[in-house]
Amino acid sequence: MRGIIAVLLGLRVAGVSCRSFGTPHHREFFYTSGQYISETSGDSISRGQVYVEHLIPAFNLTTEPEPLIFIHGGGQTGTNWLNKPDGNPGWSSYFLEKGYEVYIIDQAFRGRSPWTPVNSSDTLTAYGARYAASRYTAPEKFNLWPQAKLHTRWPGNGTKGDSIFDTYYKSLAPNAYLDDPATQQLAVQAGVAELIDQIGRPVTVVGHSQGGIMVWLAADARPNLVKRIVALEPSGPPFIDQVFSQEAARPYGLTDAPLTYDPPIQANTSAESQFRLVTTGSTDPSIGNCTLQDPQEPRQLANLKDIPTLVLQTQASYHAVYDWCTVEFLRQAGVSVDYLNLTHVGIYGNAHLFFLEENSDQIAGVVREWIEK
Ligand SMILES: *[C@@H]1O[C@H](CO)[C@@H](O)[C@H](O)[C@H]1NC(C)=O
Ligand SMILES: *[C@@H]1O[C@H](CO)[C@@H](O)[C@H](O)[C@H]1NC(C)=O
Ligand SMILES: *[C@@H]1O[C@H](CO)[C@@H](O)[C@H](O)[C@H]1NC(C)=O
Ligand SMILES: *[C@@H]1O[C@H](CO)[C@@H](O)[C@H](O)[C@H]1NC(C)=O
Ligand SMILES: *[C@@H]1O[C@H](CO)[C@@H](O)[C@H](O)[C@H]1NC(C)=O
Ligand SMILES: *[C@@H]1O[C@H](CO)[C@@H](O)[C@H](O)[C@H]1NC(C)=O
């Protein structure tokens, strides 16, 4: 017994004691969706399944409000929502402490939702450390967009060699299907829809960045069970990329995979050609160009219209250039959106990975207030 205590004390001296392990909870994991495909050997493998981590508060479980489903962004996995790279508790701890049941997925073909290449053209693409630093953790050192210089909230210097950055960077997982995003999106949509069916009661879906694409698709698939949508700097803006390229993207406006519009988009011809689009040009790189529907009878997002939606944007992210345009598009399409520019509630200096930054709990609090209002 003394030995055990000494070992425990030893661990504390070694630095464990300064860490917080977050909110006590129970945990299970399981998979949804996926299908077997045949291999030439005659055996079969499963593709497209979605890893789900289900956390339940050990104390203080409330039945209201609804469970949260967290969907991480490109190159990331569900670890985004667990503890932060600086060792402090992350958003799952925050919401567990407030009594929420939390579901965290790894997107299909990413992380613990494994992907086995079948065709020779099947490739995985990892974000490099400089790419991650320039866009996420140290944009103020690269200044790739005007608001980048306002970033102050990442702990540590945000580049290679800094232990917090290194811990974050090692958590990244390569992306599959970058050349065919609709296939990947449909797999995630199927997995999240099956998860929502299993939960069997209303949920709030929370998506970040490329995971923001998935919240529209999840709500479109299960409009009666998605009670609220929280889109944290969701991929955008509609139809044409900004900041890093001016290429066509997201032919359904918000997504590459089909969304239900009224009047409907026909599957037999390209989606973007069926919208009447108007681009507002801008010479100001802090605002960017914005492509919306012609305001005369814009198509409506039939399944999303009645779901209260929050779009949250930080001060210093590249999303500060264009999330306003995504919000305009949603409003034209009949969606009731609250647009939260964090500076308007006195929160400054954050960039795209704000839920891993110093003031992450403060921002979680703003989201929780919106959910509970
Ligand atoms: C219980 O939940 C409430 C919010 O619903 C929170 O303020 C409180 O700190 C929680 N208590 C414990 C012991 O976790
Ligand atoms: C492999 O490639 C072929 C030809 O492009 C395609 O028909 C098939 O669906 C692909 N298989 C998988 C599992 O993606
Ligand atoms: C960041 O910190 C690491 C570790 O101290 C150091 O090696 C690196 O040079 C620093 N980078 C910058 C850009 O300050
Ligand atoms: C696509 O389908 C619609 C409805 O079935 C039809 O009216 C239209 O002519 C078709 N367009 C093309 C390009 O085949
Ligand atoms: C708007 O689009 C045009 C044409 O693609 C491009 O030249 C211009 O740089 C864009 N403006 C901004 C602010 O990105
Ligand atoms: C967000 O709010 C700040 C402060 O009011 C403002 O300068 C900025 O233009 C706003 N961003 C957008 C995209 O509206």
Side-chain angles (χ1 to χ4, degrees), residues 23 59-60 62 96-99 368 372:
T23 309
F59 313 108
N60 210 12
T62 55
L96 287 164
E97 197 259 332
K98 306 302 178 196
R368 176 177 160 237
E372 294 180 5

Side-chain angles (χ1 to χ4, degrees), residues 141 156-163 166:
K141 294 186 173 69
N157 73 21
T159 59
K160 211 165 69 172
D162 179 276
S163 65
D166 292 345

Side-chain angles (χ1 to χ4, degrees), residues 120-243:
S120 56
S121 60
D122 288 347
T123 54
L124 288 167
T125 311
Y127 295 158
R130 185 167 12 95
Y131 178 104
S134 66
R135 294 192 180 204
Y136 306 147
T137 57
E140 72 281 8
K141 294 186 173 69
F142 297 82
N143 286 311
L144 301 180
W145 59 93
Q147 294 90 338
K149 60 179 180 293
L150 302 170
H151 180 239
T152 57
R153 296 291 201 165
W154 181 266
N157 73 21
T159 59
K160 211 165 69 172
D162 179 276
S163 65
I164 298 172
F165 174 83
D166 292 345
T167 298
Y168 164 69
Y169 181 71
K170 288 173 191 178
S171 77
L172 295 186
N175 299 294
Y177 289 108
L178 287 187
D179 56 350
D180 178 14
T183 293
Q184 194 264 347
Q185 290 168 21
L186 288 168
V188 178
Q189 182 185 38
V192 175
E194 191 176 310
L195 171 61
I196 293 171
D197 290 343
Q198 280 184 29
I199 295 170
R201 62 188 174 104
V203 297
T204 296
V205 287
V206 183
H208 171 243
S209 197
Q210 180 248 357
I213 289 178
M214 310 306 171
V215 296
W216 317 126
L217 292 167
D220 199 43
R222 293 295 180 273
N224 298 325
L225 286 173
V226 172
K227 177 135 181 212
R228 288 182 212 83
I229 296 171
V230 176
L232 307 166
E233 300 202 338
S235 284
F239 299 107
I240 302 175
D241 276 338
Q242 295 297 314
V243 184

Side-chain angles (χ1 to χ4, degrees), residues 37 47 118-119 177:
I37 58 164
R47 273 170 82 108
V118 175
N119 286 325
Y177 289 108

Side-chain angles (χ1 to χ4, degrees), residues 318-357:
Y318 53 92
H319 280 257
V321 174
Y322 56 67
D323 280 359
W324 63 273
C325 177
T326 302
V327 170
E328 289 297 310
F329 179 81
L330 284 160
R331 288 184 175 150
Q332 270 194 325
V335 183
S336 148
V337 191
D338 289 321
Y339 175 35
L340 180 61
N341 173 342
L342 281 183
T343 61
H344 294 174
V345 292
I347 300 179
Y348 300 97
N350 291 105
H352 195 47
L353 296 179
F354 52 90
F355 47 85
L356 302 178
E357 297 195 305

